[in-house]
Amino acid sequence: MNPRTAFVFGGGGVLGATQVGMLHALLDRGIAPDLIVGTSVGALNGAMLAADPSPAMVGRLAEVWSSLSRAGVFSDSVVAQVARLAAQRTHLHSTSALRELLAEHLGRRRIEELPVRFECVAASIERSVAHWFATGPVVDAVVASCSVPGLFPPARVPVGDRAEHFYDGGLVHSIPVGRAARLGAERIYVLHVGRIEHPLQPPRWPWQVGMVAFEIARRNRFVEEMAALTGGTTVHVLPSGEPEGRTVNLRYRDMRRVGERIDRARVATAEYLDGAA
């Protein structure tokens, strides 16, 4: 049976806390998913919701986001990072703390065992394509989807009779709304992190050039997929509540505004949903 309602979780690093506020507003109004699709940090949020699609899980997600620094995902010392970069030459952080965090909440479950249908995407290095994880260990899939180049090593995951290496799903799908539509969803709620809400402006300073170029590459597929949706699909792009200019954060370890982001997104999404009812 085709899913009627899909939640699509986009990528965005520490800005992913925004999605927790959106979830608060959705579940408070009895809106629950039949399908969850995620990429990058959205795969983490989406997998935890798929494992327990209840308001209690949203509360736990808020706690997880508030404690990410203590969990050690990015908090190892500069000395440790330099030593790892010197030894490995490709990344600053190990994924061990991320794996432990996920295992604590998801255990050894497989994707096909989750109460809500779940898929996440990662970029296959060997094949240079988007790979969708719809079966297999959920922790392996989420780590692959979250493996940001340069920060984490490529994730090695068995695929069929061989092993492949994967980088962050945001490289191939920043907000995979097209995947949810192709899987048959009739009503799609897009939980992004705020960066698509404001149009880009031409760069005025040298350091803005790379940021603008990256954002064009990041947004392009989402824009094309939205334009290709048929009239039979209803899409709600939820508001983040983020003020303009606050949605690009190069400080990937900065967790100081997690609570603010959750609260702003919850209020903005609640107002949107009440107005759309």
Side-chain angles (χ1 to χ4, degrees):
M1 185 174 66
N2 285 342
R4 176 172 173 77
T5 301
F7 286 5
V8 174
F9 289 80
V14 298
L15 301 176
T18 301
Q19 296 168 347
V20 180
M22 294 173 174
L23 283 176
H24 268 296
L26 286 163
L27 297 189
D28 281 350
R29 284 152 183 78
I31 302 171
D34 306 304
L35 167 69
I36 295 172
V37 178
T39 185
S40 192
V41 74
L44 184 156
N45 289 334
M48 291 187 63
L49 183 70
D52 179 10
S54 71
M57 173 52 78
V58 178
R60 288 196 291 276
L61 258 178
E63 293 175 2
V64 166
W65 273 95
S66 297
S67 64
L68 272 180
S69 294
R70 296 194 300 275
V73 176
F74 296 123
S75 62
D76 46 355
S77 68
V78 174
V79 173
Q81 294 175 45
V82 171
R84 186 175 295 114
L85 186 60
Q88 303 294 334
R89 301 185 297 277
T90 59
H91 56 277
L92 293 173
H93 302 285
S94 166
T95 55
S96 58
L98 176 60
R99 282 187 173 276
E100 291 174 8
L101 177 68
L102 291 168
E104 177 184 348
H105 293 278
L106 299 171
R108 297 179 178 272
R109 275 180 285 189
R110 297 177 63 83
I111 294 174
E112 57 268 37
E113 298 170 348
L114 297 175
V116 179
R117 183 177 178 183
F118 172 75
E119 292 192 7
C120 68
V121 66
S124 168
I125 293 177
E126 285 85 356
R127 292 180 290 128
S128 300
V129 298
H131 178 84
W132 287 95
F133 290 93
T135 60
V138 63
V139 170
D140 285 350
V142 173
V143 170
S145 191
C146 291
S147 291
V148 181
L151 297 185
F152 294 123
R156 187 176 186 272
V157 182
V159 177
D161 58 356
R162 66 189 186 282
E164 288 187 25
H165 296 84
F166 296 93
Y167 266 143
D168 190 282
L171 295 174
V172 286
H173 282 281
S174 64
I175 307 174
V177 66
R179 182 69 174 185
R182 286 191 294 275
L183 292 174
E186 300 172 12
R187 182 173 58 165
I188 300 173
Y189 291 91
V190 177
L191 293 84
H192 57 100
V193 299
R195 289 158 69 168
I196 61 171
E197 290 179 309
H198 306 295
L200 294 173
Q201 300 295 329
R204 298 178 58 192
W205 302 99
W207 57 85
Q208 294 176 332
V209 174
M211 292 171 60
V212 170
F214 173 77
E215 277 298 306
I216 291 172
R218 183 182 181 278
R219 300 182 188 197
N220 173 259
R221 187 160 193 167
F222 171 69
V223 172
E224 291 185 344
E225 288 184 341
M226 287 289 288
L229 293 175
T230 64
T233 305
T234 301
V235 181
H236 297 276
V237 181
L238 302 178
S240 70
E242 287 290 326
E244 188 168 2
R246 288 275 297 276
T247 52
V248 176
N249 190 346
L250 298 180
R251 297 178 179 178
Y252 65 92
R253 299 196 294 178
D254 185 0
M255 301 293 173
R256 292 173 296 176
R257 294 196 175 103
V258 162
E260 294 177 24
R261 290 192 179 102
I262 292 174
D263 290 342
R264 281 196 296 266
R266 178 180 55 80
V267 171
T269 297
E271 292 176 352
Y272 169 84
L273 294 173
D274 291 344

PDB file of all heavy atoms in Angstrom, residues 97-125:
ATOM      1  N   ALA A  97      31.709   7.892  18.452  1.00  0.00           N
ATOM      2  CA  ALA A  97      30.755   8.522  19.374  1.00  0.00           C
ATOM      3  C   ALA A  97      29.370   8.617  18.746  1.00  0.00           C
ATOM      4  O   ALA A  97      28.350   8.422  19.428  1.00  0.00           O
ATOM      5  CB  ALA A  97      31.252   9.905  19.781  1.00  0.00           C
ATOM      6  N   LEU A  98      29.313   8.901  17.443  1.00  0.00           N
ATOM      7  CA  LEU A  98      28.023   8.949  16.754  1.00  0.00           C
ATOM      8  C   LEU A  98      27.372   7.573  16.763  1.00  0.00           C
ATOM      9  O   LEU A  98      26.166   7.437  17.011  1.00  0.00           O
ATOM     10  CB  LEU A  98      28.217   9.443  15.325  1.00  0.00           C
ATOM     11  CG  LEU A  98      26.975   9.458  14.424  1.00  0.00           C
ATOM     12  CD1 LEU A  98      25.894  10.363  15.007  1.00  0.00           C
ATOM     13  CD2 LEU A  98      27.336   9.879  13.002  1.00  0.00           C
ATOM     14  N   ARG A  99      28.157   6.539  16.502  1.00  0.00           N
ATOM     15  CA  ARG A  99      27.617   5.174  16.526  1.00  0.00           C
ATOM     16  C   ARG A  99      27.085   4.813  17.912  1.00  0.00           C
ATOM     17  O   ARG A  99      26.017   4.194  18.039  1.00  0.00           O
ATOM     18  CB  ARG A  99      28.694   4.171  16.114  1.00  0.00           C
ATOM     19  CG  ARG A  99      28.946   4.105  14.629  1.00  0.00           C
ATOM     20  CD  ARG A  99      29.894   2.969  14.261  1.00  0.00           C
ATOM     21  NE  ARG A  99      29.984   2.842  12.828  1.00  0.00           N
ATOM     22  CZ  ARG A  99      29.122   2.167  12.084  1.00  0.00           C
ATOM     23  NH1 ARG A  99      28.108   1.538  12.665  1.00  0.00           N
ATOM     24  NH2 ARG A  99      29.276   2.091  10.783  1.00  0.00           N
ATOM     25  N   GLU A 100      27.812   5.181  18.932  1.00  0.00           N
ATOM     26  CA  GLU A 100      27.362   4.877  20.291  1.00  0.00           C
ATOM     27  C   GLU A 100      26.058   5.597  20.617  1.00  0.00           C
ATOM     28  O   GLU A 100      25.155   5.023  21.242  1.00  0.00           O
ATOM     29  CB  GLU A 100      28.453   5.273  21.291  1.00  0.00           C
ATOM     30  CG  GLU A 100      29.693   4.392  21.226  1.00  0.00           C
ATOM     31  CD  GLU A 100      30.799   4.899  22.128  1.00  0.00           C
ATOM     32  OE1 GLU A 100      30.541   5.841  22.915  1.00  0.00           O
ATOM     33  OE2 GLU A 100      31.920   4.362  22.050  1.00  0.00           O
ATOM     34  N   LEU A 101      25.964   6.847  20.196  1.00  0.00           N
ATOM     35  CA  LEU A 101      24.742   7.613  20.428  1.00  0.00           C
ATOM     36  C   LEU A 101      23.553   6.957  19.724  1.00  0.00           C
ATOM     37  O   LEU A 101      22.471   6.791  20.307  1.00  0.00           O
ATOM     38  CB  LEU A 101      24.926   9.050  19.932  1.00  0.00           C
ATOM     39  CG  LEU A 101      23.715   9.976  20.040  1.00  0.00           C
ATOM     40  CD1 LEU A 101      23.391  10.263  21.496  1.00  0.00           C
ATOM     41  CD2 LEU A 101      23.978  11.281  19.285  1.00  0.00           C
ATOM     42  N   LEU A 102      23.754   6.572  18.474  1.00  0.00           N
ATOM     43  CA  LEU A 102      22.668   5.941  17.717  1.00  0.00           C
ATOM     44  C   LEU A 102      22.300   4.581  18.304  1.00  0.00           C
ATOM     45  O   LEU A 102      21.119   4.236  18.418  1.00  0.00           O
ATOM     46  CB  LEU A 102      23.084   5.786  16.251  1.00  0.00           C
ATOM     47  CG  LEU A 102      23.207   7.083  15.445  1.00  0.00           C
ATOM     48  CD1 LEU A 102      23.896   6.827  14.117  1.00  0.00           C
ATOM     49  CD2 LEU A 102      21.826   7.698  15.218  1.00  0.00           C
ATOM     50  N   ALA A 103      23.308   3.796  18.671  1.00  0.00           N
ATOM     51  CA  ALA A 103      23.044   2.474  19.234  1.00  0.00           C
ATOM     52  C   ALA A 103      22.275   2.568  20.539  1.00  0.00           C
ATOM     53  O   ALA A 103      21.429   1.711  20.849  1.00  0.00           O
ATOM     54  CB  ALA A 103      24.358   1.726  19.445  1.00  0.00           C
ATOM     55  N   GLU A 104      22.543   3.620  21.312  1.00  0.00           N
ATOM     56  CA  GLU A 104      21.832   3.810  22.577  1.00  0.00           C
ATOM     57  C   GLU A 104      20.333   3.957  22.353  1.00  0.00           C
ATOM     58  O   GLU A 104      19.517   3.469  23.147  1.00  0.00           O
ATOM     59  CB  GLU A 104      22.379   5.042  23.292  1.00  0.00           C
ATOM     60  CG  GLU A 104      21.667   5.382  24.589  1.00  0.00           C
ATOM     61  CD  GLU A 104      22.181   6.665  25.220  1.00  0.00           C
ATOM     62  OE1 GLU A 104      23.235   7.179  24.778  1.00  0.00           O
ATOM     63  OE2 GLU A 104      21.519   7.173  26.145  1.00  0.00           O
ATOM     64  N   HIS A 105      19.953   4.622  21.254  1.00  0.00           N
ATOM     65  CA  HIS A 105      18.543   4.903  21.014  1.00  0.00           C
ATOM     66  C   HIS A 105      17.900   3.946  20.005  1.00  0.00           C
ATOM     67  O   HIS A 105      16.672   3.762  20.032  1.00  0.00           O
ATOM     68  CB  HIS A 105      18.381   6.335  20.509  1.00  0.00           C
ATOM     69  CG  HIS A 105      18.736   7.363  21.529  1.00  0.00           C
ATOM     70  ND1 HIS A 105      17.864   7.775  22.510  1.00  0.00           N
ATOM     71  CD2 HIS A 105      19.893   8.061  21.736  1.00  0.00           C
ATOM     72  CE1 HIS A 105      18.446   8.676  23.278  1.00  0.00           C
ATOM     73  NE2 HIS A 105      19.669   8.877  22.828  1.00  0.00           N
ATOM     74  N   LEU A 106      18.695   3.347  19.128  1.00  0.00           N
ATOM     75  CA  LEU A 106      18.138   2.500  18.074  1.00  0.00           C
ATOM     76  C   LEU A 106      18.493   1.031  18.221  1.00  0.00           C
ATOM     77  O   LEU A 106      17.899   0.177  17.557  1.00  0.00           O
ATOM     78  CB  LEU A 106      18.617   3.000  16.701  1.00  0.00           C
ATOM     79  CG  LEU A 106      18.201   4.424  16.333  1.00  0.00           C
ATOM     80  CD1 LEU A 106      18.909   4.880  15.067  1.00  0.00           C
ATOM     81  CD2 LEU A 106      16.687   4.510  16.162  1.00  0.00           C
ATOM     82  N   GLY A 107      19.463   0.730  19.067  1.00  0.00           N
ATOM     83  CA  GLY A 107      19.866  -0.650  19.274  1.00  0.00           C
ATOM     84  C   GLY A 107      20.423  -1.278  18.010  1.00  0.00           C
ATOM     85  O   GLY A 107      21.076  -0.617  17.206  1.00  0.00           O
ATOM     86  N   ARG A 108      20.144  -2.565  17.841  1.00  0.00           N
ATOM     87  CA  ARG A 108      20.632  -3.308  16.672  1.00  0.00           C
ATOM     88  C   ARG A 108      19.547  -3.527  15.619  1.00  0.00           C
ATOM     89  O   ARG A 108      19.645  -4.423  14.789  1.00  0.00           O
ATOM     90  CB  ARG A 108      21.188  -4.673  17.118  1.00  0.00           C
ATOM     91  CG  ARG A 108      22.391  -4.569  18.047  1.00  0.00           C
ATOM     92  CD  ARG A 108      22.867  -5.951  18.464  1.00  0.00           C
ATOM     93  NE  ARG A 108      24.033  -5.880  19.297  1.00  0.00           N
ATOM     94  CZ  ARG A 108      25.283  -5.846  18.845  1.00  0.00           C
ATOM     95  NH1 ARG A 108      25.501  -5.867  17.538  1.00  0.00           N
ATOM     96  NH2 ARG A 108      26.298  -5.788  19.681  1.00  0.00           N
ATOM     97  N   ARG A 109      18.524  -2.704  15.673  1.00  0.00           N
ATOM     98  CA  ARG A 109      17.406  -2.911  14.764  1.00  0.00           C
ATOM     99  C   ARG A 109      17.792  -2.698  13.301  1.00  0.00           C
ATOM    100  O   ARG A 109      18.691  -1.935  12.976  1.00  0.00           O
ATOM    101  CB  ARG A 109      16.255  -1.981  15.125  1.00  0.00           C
ATOM    102  CG  ARG A 109      15.358  -2.557  16.220  1.00  0.00           C
ATOM    103  CD  ARG A 109      14.217  -1.641  16.566  1.00  0.00           C
ATOM    104  NE  ARG A 109      14.666  -0.512  17.359  1.00  0.00           N
ATOM    105  CZ  ARG A 109      13.829   0.341  17.946  1.00  0.00           C
ATOM    106  NH1 ARG A 109      12.534   0.203  17.785  1.00  0.00           N
ATOM    107  NH2 ARG A 109      14.297   1.337  18.671  1.00  0.00           N
ATOM    108  N   ARG A 110      17.049  -3.362  12.459  1.00  0.00           N
ATOM    109  CA  ARG A 110      17.196  -3.203  11.019  1.00  0.00           C
ATOM    110  C   ARG A 110      16.116  -2.242  10.517  1.00  0.00           C
ATOM    111  O   ARG A 110      15.053  -2.092  11.144  1.00  0.00           O
ATOM    112  CB  ARG A 110      17.073  -4.557  10.311  1.00  0.00           C
ATOM    113  CG  ARG A 110      18.173  -5.540  10.693  1.00  0.00           C
ATOM    114  CD  ARG A 110      17.963  -6.887  10.030  1.00  0.00           C
ATOM    115  NE  ARG A 110      18.037  -6.806   8.582  1.00  0.00           N
ATOM    116  CZ  ARG A 110      19.175  -6.826   7.876  1.00  0.00           C
ATOM    117  NH1 ARG A 110      20.347  -6.923   8.510  1.00  0.00           N
ATOM    118  NH2 ARG A 110      19.162  -6.768   6.559  1.00  0.00           N
ATOM    119  N   ILE A 111      16.400  -1.602   9.397  1.00  0.00           N
ATOM    120  CA  ILE A 111      15.462  -0.620   8.860  1.00  0.00           C
ATOM    121  C   ILE A 111      14.096  -1.238   8.622  1.00  0.00           C
ATOM    122  O   ILE A 111      13.055  -0.636   8.933  1.00  0.00           O
ATOM    123  CB  ILE A 111      16.023  -0.018   7.551  1.00  0.00           C
ATOM    124  CG1 ILE A 111      17.286   0.799   7.841  1.00  0.00           C
ATOM    125  CG2 ILE A 111      14.969   0.837   6.861  1.00  0.00           C
ATOM    126  CD1 ILE A 111      17.988   1.312   6.604  1.00  0.00           C
ATOM    127  N   GLU A 112      14.071  -2.449   8.094  1.00  0.00           N
ATOM    128  CA  GLU A 112      12.796  -3.078   7.762  1.00  0.00           C
ATOM    129  C   GLU A 112      11.999  -3.485   9.003  1.00  0.00           C
ATOM    130  O   GLU A 112      10.821  -3.862   8.885  1.00  0.00           O
ATOM    131  CB  GLU A 112      13.017  -4.296   6.852  1.00  0.00           C
ATOM    132  CG  GLU A 112      13.946  -5.360   7.400  1.00  0.00           C
ATOM    133  CD  GLU A 112      15.397  -5.174   6.994  1.00  0.00           C
ATOM    134  OE1 GLU A 112      15.862  -4.013   6.913  1.00  0.00           O
ATOM    135  OE2 GLU A 112      16.073  -6.195   6.768  1.00  0.00           O
ATOM    136  N   GLU A 113      12.591  -3.400  10.182  1.00  0.00           N
ATOM    137  CA  GLU A 113      11.889  -3.719  11.424  1.00  0.00           C
ATOM    138  C   GLU A 113      11.280  -2.487  12.102  1.00  0.00           C
ATOM    139  O   GLU A 113      10.547  -2.628  13.096  1.00  0.00           O
ATOM    140  CB  GLU A 113      12.851  -4.401  12.404  1.00  0.00           C
ATOM    141  CG  GLU A 113      13.403  -5.732  11.907  1.00  0.00           C
ATOM    142  CD  GLU A 113      14.521  -6.263  12.785  1.00  0.00           C
ATOM    143  OE1 GLU A 113      15.031  -5.501  13.642  1.00  0.00           O
ATOM    144  OE2 GLU A 113      14.890  -7.441  12.604  1.00  0.00           O
ATOM    145  N   LEU A 114      11.576  -1.308  11.607  1.00  0.00           N
ATOM    146  CA  LEU A 114      11.086  -0.085  12.247  1.00  0.00           C
ATOM    147  C   LEU A 114       9.570   0.035  12.087  1.00  0.00           C
ATOM    148  O   LEU A 114       9.011  -0.371  11.058  1.00  0.00           O
ATOM    149  CB  LEU A 114      11.771   1.140  11.642  1.00  0.00           C
ATOM    150  CG  LEU A 114      13.291   1.215  11.827  1.00  0.00           C
ATOM    151  CD1 LEU A 114      13.856   2.412  11.072  1.00  0.00           C
ATOM    152  CD2 LEU A 114      13.668   1.286  13.309  1.00  0.00           C
ATOM    153  N   PRO A 115       8.877   0.593  13.066  1.00  0.00           N
ATOM    154  CA  PRO A 115       7.419   0.725  12.993  1.00  0.00           C
ATOM    155  C   PRO A 115       6.933   1.569  11.811  1.00  0.00           C
ATOM    156  O   PRO A 115       5.840   1.348  11.300  1.00  0.00           O
ATOM    157  CB  PRO A 115       7.049   1.388  14.324  1.00  0.00           C
ATOM    158  CG  PRO A 115       8.158   1.036  15.249  1.00  0.00           C
ATOM    159  CD  PRO A 115       9.395   0.991  14.389  1.00  0.00           C
ATOM    160  N   VAL A 116       7.725   2.556  11.407  1.00  0.00           N
ATOM    161  CA  VAL A 116       7.370   3.411  10.269  1.00  0.00           C
ATOM    162  C   VAL A 116       8.372   3.161   9.145  1.00  0.00           C
ATOM    163  O   VAL A 116       9.580   3.070   9.389  1.00  0.00           O
ATOM    164  CB  VAL A 116       7.378   4.901  10.661  1.00  0.00           C
ATOM    165  CG1 VAL A 116       7.033   5.782   9.457  1.00  0.00           C
ATOM    166  CG2 VAL A 116       6.403   5.170  11.794  1.00  0.00           C
ATOM    167  N   ARG A 117       7.872   3.054   7.943  1.00  0.00           N
ATOM    168  CA  ARG A 117       8.749   2.847   6.789  1.00  0.00           C
ATOM    169  C   ARG A 117       9.774   3.975   6.712  1.00  0.00           C
ATOM    170  O   ARG A 117       9.416   5.157   6.782  1.00  0.00           O
ATOM    171  CB  ARG A 117       7.915   2.807   5.510  1.00  0.00           C
ATOM    172  CG  ARG A 117       8.724   2.532   4.251  1.00  0.00           C
ATOM    173  CD  ARG A 117       7.795   2.451   3.048  1.00  0.00           C
ATOM    174  NE  ARG A 117       8.526   2.235   1.812  1.00  0.00           N
ATOM    175  CZ  ARG A 117       7.955   2.184   0.603  1.00  0.00           C
ATOM    176  NH1 ARG A 117       6.643   2.317   0.501  1.00  0.00           N
ATOM    177  NH2 ARG A 117       8.695   1.995  -0.474  1.00  0.00           N
ATOM    178  N   PHE A 118      11.031   3.607   6.541  1.00  0.00           N
ATOM    179  CA  PHE A 118      12.119   4.588   6.597  1.00  0.00           C
ATOM    180  C   PHE A 118      13.133   4.308   5.499  1.00  0.00           C
ATOM    181  O   PHE A 118      13.487   3.152   5.230  1.00  0.00           O
ATOM    182  CB  PHE A 118      12.808   4.520   7.965  1.00  0.00           C
ATOM    183  CG  PHE A 118      14.066   5.343   8.069  1.00  0.00           C
ATOM    184  CD1 PHE A 118      14.001   6.728   8.183  1.00  0.00           C
ATOM    185  CD2 PHE A 118      15.319   4.736   8.051  1.00  0.00           C
ATOM    186  CE1 PHE A 118      15.154   7.489   8.269  1.00  0.00           C
ATOM    187  CE2 PHE A 118      16.480   5.489   8.147  1.00  0.00           C
ATOM    188  CZ  PHE A 118      16.393   6.867   8.259  1.00  0.00           C
ATOM    189  N   GLU A 119      13.604   5.376   4.879  1.00  0.00           N
ATOM    190  CA  GLU A 119      14.724   5.291   3.942  1.00  0.00           C
ATOM    191  C   GLU A 119      15.633   6.488   4.171  1.00  0.00           C
ATOM    192  O   GLU A 119      15.168   7.586   4.483  1.00  0.00           O
ATOM    193  CB  GLU A 119      14.244   5.293   2.485  1.00  0.00           C
ATOM    194  CG  GLU A 119      13.487   4.042   2.076  1.00  0.00           C
ATOM    195  CD  GLU A 119      13.280   3.951   0.572  1.00  0.00           C
ATOM    196  OE1 GLU A 119      13.851   4.803  -0.168  1.00  0.00           O
ATOM    197  OE2 GLU A 119      12.552   3.043   0.130  1.00  0.00           O
ATOM    198  N   CYS A 120      16.932   6.268   4.003  1.00  0.00           N
ATOM    199  CA  CYS A 120      17.868   7.393   4.010  1.00  0.00           C
ATOM    200  C   CYS A 120      18.866   7.208   2.879  1.00  0.00           C
ATOM    201  O   CYS A 120      19.061   6.101   2.372  1.00  0.00           O
ATOM    202  CB  CYS A 120      18.561   7.543   5.360  1.00  0.00           C
ATOM    203  SG  CYS A 120      19.703   6.222   5.806  1.00  0.00           S
ATOM    204  N   VAL A 121      19.505   8.291   2.513  1.00  0.00           N
ATOM    205  CA  VAL A 121      20.365   8.289   1.342  1.00  0.00           C
ATOM    206  C   VAL A 121      21.791   8.652   1.722  1.00  0.00           C
ATOM    207  O   VAL A 121      22.026   9.426   2.656  1.00  0.00           O
ATOM    208  CB  VAL A 121      19.830   9.279   0.274  1.00  0.00           C
ATOM    209  CG1 VAL A 121      19.908  10.719   0.769  1.00  0.00           C
ATOM    210  CG2 VAL A 121      20.565   9.114  -1.051  1.00  0.00           C
ATOM    211  N   ALA A 122      22.744   8.062   1.004  1.00  0.00           N
ATOM    212  CA  ALA A 122      24.153   8.415   1.134  1.00  0.00           C
ATOM    213  C   ALA A 122      24.761   8.415  -0.259  1.00  0.00           C
ATOM    214  O   ALA A 122      24.183   7.880  -1.207  1.00  0.00           O
ATOM    215  CB  ALA A 122      24.890   7.439   2.048  1.00  0.00           C
ATOM    216  N   ALA A 123      25.930   9.029  -0.382  1.00  0.00           N
ATOM    217  CA  ALA A 123      26.608   9.118  -1.678  1.00  0.00           C
ATOM    218  C   ALA A 123      27.644   8.005  -1.787  1.00  0.00           C
ATOM    219  O   ALA A 123      28.605   7.964  -1.018  1.00  0.00           O
ATOM    220  CB  ALA A 123      27.281  10.479  -1.829  1.00  0.00           C
ATOM    221  N   SER A 124      27.451   7.095  -2.726  1.00  0.00           N
ATOM    222  CA  SER A 124      28.411   6.016  -2.946  1.00  0.00           C
ATOM    223  C   SER A 124      29.664   6.569  -3.609  1.00  0.00           C
ATOM    224  O   SER A 124      29.592   7.205  -4.670  1.00  0.00           O
ATOM    225  CB  SER A 124      27.795   4.932  -3.832  1.00  0.00           C
ATOM    226  OG  SER A 124      28.794   4.028  -4.280  1.00  0.00           O
ATOM    227  N   ILE A 125      30.804   6.330  -2.997  1.00  0.00           N
ATOM    228  CA  ILE A 125      32.063   6.804  -3.572  1.00  0.00           C
ATOM    229  C   ILE A 125      32.417   5.991  -4.806  1.00  0.00           C
ATOM    230  O   ILE A 125      32.758   6.559  -5.863  1.00  0.00           O
ATOM    231  CB  ILE A 125      33.185   6.726  -2.521  1.00  0.00           C
ATOM    232  CG1 ILE A 125      32.914   7.721  -1.395  1.00  0.00           C
ATOM    233  CG2 ILE A 125      34.550   7.004  -3.159  1.00  0.00           C
ATOM    234  CD1 ILE A 125      33.921   7.677  -0.270  1.00  0.00           C
TER     235      ILE A 125
END
